[in-house]
Amino acid sequence: MQIIAHIHTEFPTKFGVPRQSGLAGGLRGTIVFTPPYRNPDALRGIEGFSHIWLIWQFHKALREGFSPTVLPPKLGGKTRVGVFATRSPFRPNAIGLSSVRLLDVELHTPDGPVLHVAGADLVDGTPIFDIKPYLPYADCHMDATDAFAETRRDAPLQVVFPDEWLCMIPAGKREALFEVLALDTRPGYQHDPGRRYGFNYAGFDVRFTIDNDTLTVVEVVKL
């Protein structure tokens, strides 16, 4: 398959990225097409859709071989589940699927056509194989069931972000960061309240602890 574009996001590494698209609607991403596909005609009419599907590559999780089962972190890393019953990145073909909101379409920029999206769960630089419109009448299944529903947190974490650290984050990037922190990106087997976690976001290393249902930011370092 040909790489048609790359997406640029605020996450240079995997940790911290929401596990599913749409969970942090404030996150912004920019899709820039590779030279062979920088043709405005290929996007004609896309502005009429509110959401699009992205088909992309888990380029940070490429590996040789195939395992029929995986250990989902949210199940504590101890319960094996069939790879095709999960959205694990460790698949026979390292392909991801995300539904994102289409915010804006710029057809003529120095980099060719550019799409601005929200709610992406992709690392910065992720290769994109294809883009398709999201169709509510066909793609939304209101009676769908979820085998992992009982393992998910009912409410988001309460985020405590002291002003001494919050002031370092640009105002336009704070809302999305709060959304991500509240999601609890830890593996299901990590519950030590004294442990420091951290991820890179928008040029900052955001470090925090989690005790029960409260996340407290303890340091922010500019990268």
Side-chain angles (χ1 to χ4, degrees):
M1 291 193 293
Q2 303 298 312
I3 295 172
I4 66 164
H6 293 85
I7 189 169
H8 299 289
T9 71
E10 303 289 4
F11 292 96
T13 59
K14 294 183 293 181
F15 188 71
V17 177
R19 286 191 172 87
Q20 305 296 337
S21 57
L23 295 182
L27 289 177
R28 299 292 186 263
T30 303
I31 298 172
V32 179
F33 291 81
T34 56
Y37 304 100
R38 290 181 178 177
N39 187 333
D41 287 341
L43 297 171
R44 189 183 302 172
I46 198 170
E47 70 280 358
F49 297 92
S50 65
H51 293 73
I52 54 176
W53 289 107
L54 305 180
I55 301 172
W56 46 277
Q57 182 184 49
F58 284 106
H59 67 301
K60 298 285 190 179
L62 298 176
R63 58 170 60 180
E64 296 293 332
F66 161 65
S67 173
T69 60
V70 294
L71 295 166
K74 277 301 182 183
L75 296 183
K78 298 179 180 179
T79 303
R80 285 202 167 271
V81 180
V83 64
F84 300 131
T86 74
R87 295 192 176 187
S88 167
F90 305 116
R91 322 186 67 78
N93 295 300
I95 296 174
L97 177 68
S98 296
S99 172
V100 297
R101 176 178 292 275
L102 181 59
L103 299 176
D104 191 22
V105 180
E106 291 187 277
L107 294 180
H108 304 286
T109 79
D111 295 320
V114 171
L115 301 180
H116 299 275
V117 300
D121 55 338
L122 288 77
V123 174
D124 183 55
T126 295
I128 295 177
F129 290 133
D130 202 3
I131 297 172
K132 300 178 186 292
Y134 177 94
L135 305 176
Y137 82 94
D139 295 340
C140 181
H141 301 280
M142 299 302 294
D143 59 345
T145 58
D146 177 359
F148 292 161
E150 293 184 0
T151 67
R152 296 195 179 90
R153 175 180 295 276
D154 292 332
L157 292 173
Q158 178 182 351
V159 177
V160 177
F161 209 135
D163 289 340
E164 64 176 310
W165 306 121
L166 182 60
C167 69
M168 296 179 62
I169 306 296
K173 299 184 183 296
R174 294 177 187 176
E175 179 182 355
L177 178 56
F178 268 86
E179 286 185 297
V180 173
L181 290 171
L183 289 174
D184 191 355
T185 56
R186 297 174 300 171
Y189 50 82
Q190 292 182 352
H191 299 287
D192 181 0
R195 177 168 179 164
R196 277 195 175 197
Y197 304 89
F199 57 75
N200 294 345
Y201 169 82
F204 296 89
D205 183 10
V206 182
R207 302 170 185 176
F208 54 90
T209 60
I210 299 178
D211 188 1
N212 293 319
D213 294 330
T214 301
L215 179 150
T216 303
V217 175
V218 295
E219 189 176 16
V220 173
V221 178
K222 185 172 177 56
L223 300 176

